[in-house]
Amino acid sequence: WFAGKPAARTHNFGKGTITYVGATLDPAFMRALVASELTSAGVQPILPKLPADLELMERSSPNGGRIWILINHGTIAQTIDTAHEGTDLLTGKHDARITLVPHGVAVFALARQQ
C-alpha cells in the first residue's frame, strides 16, 4: 500500500516548515537527514563537536540564567571543554572542563556575562 506514496513530505507551517518522514531509515541516513534539516533551519549546536554519546540540553530563565544538563550515554568517561565559566551544581566544581563517567550527569550553571 506504500507504492506510489512519498517517503517524506515537507509543508510550510507558520513561519517555518515541518517535515514528516514515513519511512524506516538506517541510522547514518537519519543523522544526515536531521543534520540537513537543522542546517536549513539555521539551528546551530550549543557545543560543536560534542561526542555522539553525550546529550546536552539547555534550560534558561527569563532573566538570562542558563543551565546545561549533560548526560553521558556511553560506556567510557568523556571530558568536555565547555569554553564557558560556570559551576557544576552537582559537584560544586568551578571549571570549564567537565568529566562525565559512563552514564554520568552534570548540571552546569553558566556564569552570567557582564
Side-chain angles (χ1 to χ4, degrees):
W1 66 274
F2 287 127
K5 306 283 193 242
R9 304 268 324 235
T10 299
H11 294 281
N12 293 328
F13 188 80
K15 295 180 182 179
T17 61
I18 185 167
T19 299
Y20 173 79
V21 178
T24 302
L25 306 177
D26 68 59
F29 188 68
M30 180 60 93
R31 278 191 297 276
L33 176 63
V34 170
S36 174
E37 292 291 313
L38 291 172
T39 298
S40 69
V43 176
Q44 299 294 321
I46 296 170
L47 285 180
K49 300 182 182 176
L50 193 67
D53 288 341
L54 294 182
E55 177 180 357
L56 188 156
M57 298 161 284
E58 181 173 287
R59 300 295 183 261
S60 60
S61 66
N63 65 0
R66 294 170 61 199
I67 292 181
W68 290 350
I69 302 161
L70 295 111
I71 304 171
N72 182 357
H73 294 285
T75 57
I76 62 170
Q78 298 274 0
T79 299
I80 305 101
D81 185 354
T82 68
H84 291 79
E85 292 183 28
T87 303
D88 183 336
L89 299 177
L90 300 178
T91 65
K93 186 177 174 186
H94 302 281
D95 195 347
R97 294 174 54 86
I98 298 171
T99 299
L100 290 170
V101 299
H103 311 292
V105 175
V107 179
F108 186 73
L110 281 75
R112 299 282 178 111
Q113 295 187 356
Q114 303 297 326

